[in-house]
Amino acid sequence: MSQTYPVNAEFSEKAYLNESQYFEMYQRSINDNEAFWAEQGKRVDWIKPFTQVKDVSYARDDLHIKWYYDGTLNVAANCIDRHLADKADQTAIIWEGDDPSISKNITYQELYDEVCRFSNVLKKLGVEKGDRVTLYMPMIPEAAYAMLACARIGAVHSVVFGGFSADALAGRITDCESKLVITADYSLRGGKKIPLKQNVDAASEKEGVKDYLESVLVIRNSGDEVDWNSTQDYWYHELAKDVSADCPAEEMNAEDPLFILYTSGSTGQPKGVLHTSGGYLVYASLTHQYVFDYHPGDIYWCTADVGWITGHSYIVYGPLANGATTLMFEGVPNYPDSSRFWQVCDKHKVNTCYTAPTAIRALMREGNELVKSTSRQSLTLLGSVGEPINPEAWQWYYDVVGEQRCPIVDTWWQTETGGILISPLPGATPLKPGSASRPLFGIQPALVDGEGNELEGAVDGNLIMRDSWPGQMRTVYGDHQRFIDTYFSTFEGSYFTGDGARRDEDNYYWITGRVDDVLNISGHRMGTAEIESALVAHHLVAEAAVVGYPHDIKGQGIYTFVTLNAGVESSEALEKELVQWVRKEIGPIATPDIIQFAPGLPKTRSGKIMRRILRKIAENEFSNLGDISTLAEPAVVDDLINNRKSQE
Ligand code: PRX
């Protein structure tokens, strides 16, 4: 059992909550749930105040989730306008470019002007309340302006991570019927250019896209040449020249959609997770304040990309709702070298650094010297998100980066949850390396066995949530039944997270990882089904099965078993071709680490692939294959074992 670190007394002195205050507030949030959330609802400014707090049913035949649902507000006005009275000249966003010599500070007044201008450009292009707008953007301030501009005029944004392929982008444009895509000429990461506009051009040629897509709004970022389609493409800087820096904020109902974000599940294509306005903002603001113990004047940095939920809730909406100074970083951790994160901390006097275990592991591998070449004296708090952090990485982060001075908040949550559900509070929670620890306010986690029976005490089980919280997703865009089937059918009456967890004798939660067919590659979710369907779309592939295996840096790697069509010879060239194929179909984050050609896959007599066996083979655990007597052809297992490939 690893060691427990007591609460940092110095931190706790200045923190909003100490341990007993956490327990007191948590108990109140459970015992007097609606009163608690009514009080928290006041952290945002309402145009028409809510009188109703919560209307939630997790029943399969009447599933609905509503918070603050007779109130009206505007999310962008909450993130900007209301701070102008006392923070107009305070920096809202510090932007640090990929090139270390480039950065800029954007004040709340400047943010207001930019977002209003952006809103007016969107209106010029015919975007109206309720329209969906797809963003495919680099990590530049315009990404935040575009999100907030959508929120200001009541349009629904769908941000697609800039590392996804043209095909993946096309699928996401058509699914939510976007009439506009906002992009840039190129994005810059680690000195390399990624042709975003070119990918949008390729996406707009895909089937069905032109049925919805009317215009492409392009930010000039790198300044390099791009192909131009004069009937569809618009330069942002040209349209922005003659628009006003004022734009009224649309009055939105609390339950009006704010954004859609696509995420991978265990079956089918990625689903559009829908978040609404009022509850989402209350929850993002609450969790940002307490988990990061954010106080006015602090410099806060979340290293995520705005293409993921972490970027939405903890770069843009949570921090800006709280009037914070939030840092946005265009680059990567190892460019120009692996001290970049800590250089950025020193340059901007960052107090809180919130990053992912995969980055920590990659930097840890580069040794301590690069870290020690920087000061990091401004840092007071460290955070982790996206996947379980292994105790070794936690320890390195704590000892070397934070010099044992900074508490670490290991925050567990999901795209679906909108904000953090389980995490230490830095002034209140003793830390155990590798544990996300305790639930936040209003959150009621429980562990159940496969039949849904609740498990008590220190035990392992499936992680569910008993009750709703305001930041919870409301539906799968365009497919409410899929929402019900995915999250509320496995364990009736509860939200199923898809994760397994262990609870220890101190009631701390230890997330053990996904219990479904979802992989977590460098903290990014990827459905095995998506990679399989990409592979079988190749004309030489008959069948494919994908499983995860432990990977030193990425947490999980992608192991693929591929059966070729009869008569097709396997070769190294074909292996490379298939890797490129998947990258083209989905994007670089889905790059298979290992491809093993297999003449047959282990199947039950009814034809179902036995992934359990494939997982064991990928994990190199041959002695523990379990019962294989039910297989149609047990001999294929020997072949798979004999030809197993190992990580290079
Ligand atoms: O398996 C859990 C893992 O990431 C999944 C959610 O992925 P996504 O929706 O992409 O959101 C990532 C950022 C919130 C979860 O189901 N996960 C996330 N944070 C942690 C984690 N696993 C363990 N510890 C965490 N702190």
Side-chain angles (χ1 to χ4, degrees), residues 31-80:
N31 299 343
D32 211 354
N33 189 256
E34 288 211 23
F36 175 83
W37 287 120
E39 197 182 294
Q40 289 303 324
K42 296 191 191 125
R43 57 176 52 246
V44 305
D45 282 1
W46 298 88
I47 299 171
K48 176 171 163 281
F50 59 88
T51 65
Q52 305 296 317
V53 175
K54 178 181 183 187
D55 177 9
V56 173
S57 159
Y58 278 180
R60 292 203 56 181
D61 53 358
D62 179 31
L63 195 123
H64 61 268
I65 299 163
K66 292 187 200 166
W67 286 89
Y68 310 115
Y69 52 96
D70 65 347
T72 65
L73 78 166
N74 183 279
V75 167
N78 269 285
C79 291
I80 309 169

Side-chain angles (χ1 to χ4, degrees), residues 150-199:
C150 287
R152 191 165 193 88
I153 66 168
V156 183
H157 59 71
S158 160
V159 186
V160 176
F161 174 58
F164 277 119
S165 69
D167 285 87
L169 174 63
R172 287 156 172 79
I173 295 171
T174 49
D175 185 80
C176 69
E177 307 181 348
S178 288
K179 65 193 309 189
L180 174 70
V181 172
I182 308 175
T183 190
D185 46 11
Y186 286 82
S187 87
L188 268 175
R189 279 168 67 80
K192 290 195 208 91
K193 287 185 192 144
I194 299 151
L196 294 184
K197 169 65 167 61
Q198 192 184 312
N199 288 349

Side-chain angles (χ1 to χ4, degrees), residues 206-491:
K206 305 275 171 198
E207 203 190 320
V209 174
K210 288 250 163 68
D211 294 348
Y212 310 107
L213 185 65
E214 293 168 10
S215 347
V216 177
L217 182 60
V218 189
I219 314 286
R220 194 165 60 191
N221 184 39
S222 74
D224 293 272
E225 289 274 311
V226 288
D227 287 344
W228 204 251
N229 172 352
S230 57
T231 57
Q232 175 173 295
D233 299 341
Y234 299 87
W235 281 115
Y236 177 78
H237 61 271
E238 286 179 1
L239 296 188
K241 263 197 300 229
D242 52 358
V243 296
S244 143
D246 266 313
C247 173
E250 197 71 35
E251 179 170 356
M252 306 297 287
N253 182 272
E255 284 300 334
D256 280 336
L258 177 63
F259 65 85
I260 299 166
L261 190 56
Y262 286 87
T263 193
S264 299
S266 52
T267 55
Q269 289 307 303
K271 41 185 178 296
V273 168
L274 184 92
H275 283 287
T276 56
S277 303
Y280 170 79
L281 196 67
V282 168
Y283 199 73
S285 157
L286 168 79
T287 48
H288 173 261
Q289 181 189 336
Y290 286 106
V291 173
F292 302 107
D293 201 63
Y294 188 86
H295 290 267
D298 289 350
I299 309 290
Y300 161 88
W301 180 22
C302 165
T303 71
D305 190 286
V306 289
W308 310 111
I309 190 70
T310 311
H312 284 58
S313 302
Y314 298 114
I315 295 178
V316 179
Y317 290 115
L320 295 178
N322 291 343
T325 299
T326 179
L327 193 149
M328 204 175 164
F329 176 43
E330 185 183 26
V332 293
N334 59 358
Y335 176 81
D337 68 39
S338 292
S339 68
R340 183 70 192 276
F341 270 10
W342 326 123
Q343 299 280 358
V344 172
C345 289
D346 287 353
K347 178 173 170 186
H348 299 290
K349 303 281 171 283
V350 170
N351 306 115
T352 299
C353 176
Y354 184 35
T355 192
T358 189
I360 298 166
R361 286 191 297 265
L363 297 177
M364 177 173 147
R365 199 173 60 167
E366 300 300 318
N368 298 354
E369 287 316 305
L370 280 167
V371 186
K372 290 190 174 148
S373 71
T374 62
S375 148
R376 286 157 288 108
Q377 281 310 303
S378 58
L379 284 175
T380 57
L381 177 62
L382 300 171
S384 170
V385 60
E387 54 179 313
I389 180 164
N390 47 311
E392 301 71 33
W394 192 101
Q395 206 65 51
W396 184 81
Y397 200 26
Y398 187 76
D399 291 341
V400 180
V401 177
E403 295 174 334
Q404 305 186 336
R405 173 184 80 240
C406 309
I408 296 179
V409 288
D410 175 1
T411 65
W412 175 86
W413 59 298
Q414 311 178 293
T415 306
E416 293 88 338
T417 69
I420 299 164
L421 299 197
I422 304 181
S423 171
L425 297 185
T429 316
L431 304 173
K432 300 192 190 191
S435 172
S437 79
R438 295 170 176 150
L440 296 186
F441 312 112
I443 303 304
Q444 295 189 50
L447 298 177
V448 294
D449 66 15
E451 278 71 56
N453 304 307
E454 178 144 3
L455 305 165
E456 303 292 340
V459 72
D460 249 308
N462 298 298
L463 181 64
I464 61 164
M465 297 295 151
R466 287 291 188 212
D467 197 3
S468 181
W469 60 97
Q472 185 170 26
M473 75 182 281
R474 301 301 196 255
T475 192
V476 170
Y477 185 78
D479 196 349
H480 197 57
Q481 193 57 45
R482 189 168 174 202
F483 179 53
I484 300 169
D485 293 345
T486 309
Y487 303 104
F488 301 93
S489 301
T490 322
F491 304 110

Side-chain angles (χ1 to χ4, degrees), residues 76-114:
N78 269 285
C79 291
I80 309 169
D81 308 27
R82 67 166 170 161
H83 305 312
L84 293 181
D86 61 340
K87 296 195 178 76
D89 297 329
Q90 184 203 300
T91 300
I93 299 176
I94 300 173
W95 178 73
E96 167 78 13
D98 185 57
D99 174 342
S101 67
I102 302 177
S103 62
K104 66 175 166 189
N105 288 11
I106 298 132
T107 65
Y108 272 95
Q109 181 64 51
E110 287 164 341
L111 184 62
Y112 175 86
D113 296 346
E114 294 287 359

